[in-house]
Amino acid sequence: MLILPESQRQVQSLLRIRLAIVQICVLLPIIFSLPLQFGVIIAFAPLWTIVRIHLKQSPMLGRWLLVAITVISAAAVWFHFGTFRGRDAGVSLVAVMYSLKILECRHYRDVNLLLTLAFFMLAMNFLFTQEIWAVFYLLAALLLITHTLMYANANDVSKVEVKKGAKILLYSIPVMMFFFVFFPRLSGPLWHIPSSQSAGTGVSDSMTPGDIGALHLIDEVAFRVKFLDASPEPGDLYWRALVFENYDGLSWTQDRRRNDIPLARQEAEGDVLRYEITLEATKQRWLYGLDLPVSTPPGTRLKSDGTFSAARRVEKRIRYRGSSVTRMPLEVELPPLSRTINTELPSSGNDEAKQWARETYAQFNDTTNYVNYLLRFIYEQPFFYTLTPPILKEDMVDNFWFGTRRGFCEHYASSFVYMLRAVGIPARVVVGYHGGDYNALGDYWIITQAEAHAWAEYWMEGKGWVRVDPTAAIAPHRVEQQLLNQVGLRNFLFDDLPVADFMAESGLNIAQLWLDNVNRAWQDWVIDFNQSKQFDLFNQLKPDSWGLGRLFGISVVGILLFLAVIAWRMSRSRESLDHVARSYLILTRRLAKKGFEKHHYEGPQDFVHRVIREKPQWSGELNPILRLYLKLKFSNDSAQFAKKHKQLRTMVKRVRLVT
Amino acid sequence: MIKKLLDERWLRWIRRRRPLAQEITLSQRSTYIFPTRYGFLLLAIVFVMALGATNYQNNMVFISTFMVIAIGVIAILMTFHNLVGLTFSAHSPEAVFAGQVAHFPISITSQRHHQSIGVGLRNASLSFVDIVAAAEQRVEIAQLCKARGYQMLDPVRCQTIFPFGFLQAWAWLFFDVKCLVYPKPLKPETIEQSAGSSSGKESDTPVPGVEDFYGLRPYQPGDVMSRIYWKGMAKEKGLQTKEFVEYQSDPDIFSLSQFPSVDLEFGLSYLTYLVIEAHQDGRVFGLQLGEQTIAPQRGEEHMHQCLRMLALYKG
């Protein structure tokens, strides 16, 4: 077969369809990660190609039309993002250009260009997701790309086997792992990355319960905790993040006056619980600790409100260690500033609540009794727990406490603190997470975004700050059933509810826990692998007496040996002819079982003919096999060979030889 | 331009190192490999990917990068081994006339499968073949033969970019096969009568034949029994043999002296024309070149013998 120089070869329809499929494959996750209009633009070109070819029409567009589409698409990116820099804008632009390339793919060189760039586009997907499934997607996409490359470069496309591509990938994986472990890593980025516009999930730095009409429980993992010694009681799993001491009538925020005061050192009383937290990227600075932290990781500072934060925003998953004591007095001696901050209320608004609080407090004149009364009030009065509360605009506490009585933790914590401050008891809102799901396989706790929580703290003479969770006071039967169905993880809060207990057992099954284990290992060993882990690993891999150079040397020799083995395997003769001989051998064995031993002087033809003379009823089965065997053995027709030898094998296998 | 020049030097350099042979099996030493432009593009892409992965501290991008590197490394081995192990044997083609294209048959075999192997001369398009283990595959190399004499097969290039087109492996095959090239036949404008041959139709030179009885001569050992003049023996004239002859025109003995004033090559071309013409007319003819002479004969064999002499004649 004579083949034209590559510049003159035209792209056939079948190849073009394959190219479109490769494009869709490498762009699919990007399409779903970008704003809708760019997803549509990106998907257009390959889908157009497939549809037009299917209709037996040319998918090519005129040059000027193509230029126009390209310019308009680029302009759309510019107007949407206002820039071509940054992850989303950059990826949009490149993906749009790449997808349009297929519309001007005329020659062989365009094909190879498109396929080579496919590797690059594929890698872009992982700027959006690094989940474990991504690695399987990567392998599948690579298989598709390599297969299509072979298809494009083969002389006879019918001989391009998927098996070959799979084998290449299989050989590639150890080489990739070698590079992954030994490729030198840097400790930080080479240049500043513009941060992406999407907001991080997690606890927010302010709380405005009245604004929220629907709270969506997000089942994403917030962080994972491994207790290094003992685990606390499930009821004590309050994860402290921020303390809101400033209330303007609508929103709770941190008080700036307190922000920089470090926590005075105090002796820890009770059992110190040490733990290791693996925190997902929050794009915020604050960190989480079990209520109440006593020591925090290096580089962070424990503040006087019992919270701590990192020096920089958490832009990627981090891991840190901390230790806490679950019941420890904080600020037993209340500084005057702290007292001032925590008894402040807006001078106007919520008059009814202020009035009610003062009258009620007058009945007890005692902090503990007053707090207990408030909790009982919540329990006895028709307060409901719901994620879709009515929106409260003015006099939020009045409206909630005496009117709607429907809300979630933020409403309860907010109103509760208001009621305490109204009578001069220092009180504040604490936000973080409550509860967690124990993973027995990995011996750690998973805390999801759905477990975000807000509770209250009030100050008592001689005891310091005391935690109180008004949400937990809601009578269990007034917690929305549907809510329990949505998330079975709040059982700690309403743990006298049988339904919740039931859900605790069945809510997460072994498979989910196992999956989370796998995910965690994936995150630990792959996603979080960095320079320091690399050095740790090197140190683990080598005996102490070795230098790093020796480890590198041995690894390089190892990978070269691996490649040498592959090369040796490639150079060995194998396959088809052996298959033909093997098929024939199988046939002779089967005939031998029927009593026809092949004499050493007999050729295949003599032997089979001898058998057929004695058993004419087998001729229908044996003759075609003999014909094909002789054809394969003595013909030079290589084009048919690969397929025919399989045919021979199946024929031999199917022989029944009924007597 | 420079590339061509380098190519030329490269070829000469390899040529010095490789012995000529009729059968050549490609070894790892005789096979070369280099990235194509797509290979360089892939290198650039890998570089950008590694840069991005480092900057974003994104390990999945690292994994993608290393997978691509690994695929590239495996591709080197695959492309290389797609060529190594092939056995080429070249055969002499049928003789051609100068200015014609000779087709050198080359058979390719291997113990393994090979895909998309291109075989051809430099600066010519390649024939692509797939090789199946232990089955023979044939290609023909067409080479223009300009001058008479023996024409060696030019260095044959075999190459492959399979599987991915990122790399090209190639080897030069220097075959010890040649094609016999007869001079290009040219119709002579004027033919001078040479001294030794007359073109007169009725010159009665008898040549041995079977048609007409010519006379008797004394028996010589080896004479055919049926030709023995038995009657003469009976007449006690001793053993005699009957001689038969064919009367025909004097056979042509072509020679360069017929074209005294033309260039040697032209003369040979004219003689070639005459030889072919004489053969086609079924005439008996001879050829005389310098000291070499081919006695008058007729037939295919004879013609090729004459053409061969013309092809190889050195003035």
Side-chain angles (χ1 to χ4, degrees), chain B residues 97-113:
Chain B
F97 293 99
Q100 282 185 328
V101 171
H103 295 274
F104 288 83
I106 291 184
S107 56
I108 312 171
T109 52
S110 174
Q111 297 300 307
R112 298 181 281 127
H113 292 339

Side-chain angles (χ1 to χ4, degrees), chain A residues 511-561:
Chain A
Q512 277 173 301
L513 289 176
W514 185 83
L515 199 67
D516 197 73
N517 264 336
V518 171
N519 257 320
R520 203 169 91 118
W522 170 253
Q523 297 279 3
D524 276 2
W525 288 104
V526 180
I527 302 305
D528 288 350
F529 192 78
N530 55 21
Q531 195 185 38
S532 60
K533 281 204 177 182
Q534 191 176 33
F535 287 139
D536 285 352
L537 184 68
F538 289 164
N539 286 325
Q540 275 176 25
L541 282 178
K542 70 185 180 63
D544 292 338
S545 55
W546 289 14
L548 272 183
R550 194 156 164 190
L551 180 71
F552 289 149
I554 287 176
S555 314
V556 169
V557 167
I559 201 71
L560 289 179
L561 265 177

Side-chain angles (χ1 to χ4, degrees), chain A residues 27 42 77 89-99 120-121 124:
Chain A
L27 292 172
I42 292 167
V77 172
V91 170
S92 298
L93 187 68
V94 174
V96 165
M97 299 293 150
Y98 177 70
S99 73
F120 183 71
M121 297 310 300
M124 278 198 171

Side-chain angles (χ1 to χ4, degrees), chain B residues 197-231:
Chain B
S197 78
S198 66
S199 61
K201 292 271 176 199
E202 299 304 325
S203 155
D204 298 328
T205 314
V207 291
V210 288
E211 282 164 13
D212 302 323
F213 179 70
Y214 182 66
L216 296 170
R217 59 169 175 77
Y219 171 79
Q220 288 164 351
D223 282 348
V224 185
M225 294 285 272
S226 61
R227 296 266 177 99
I228 293 173
Y229 183 57
W230 298 107
K231 283 180 185 166

Side-chain angles (χ1 to χ4, degrees), chain A residues 16 96 145 179 198 227 339 378 383 385 446 450 457 489 506 531 606 641 651:
Chain A
R16 206 187 292 277
V96 165
I145 299 174
F179 278 111
S198 54
F227 287 100
R339 179 180 291 275
I378 292 171
F383 280 94
Y385 186 87
I446 307 159
E457 270 181 353
L489 307 178
S506 63
Q531 195 185 38
D606 303 329
F641 203 94
M651 278 166 81

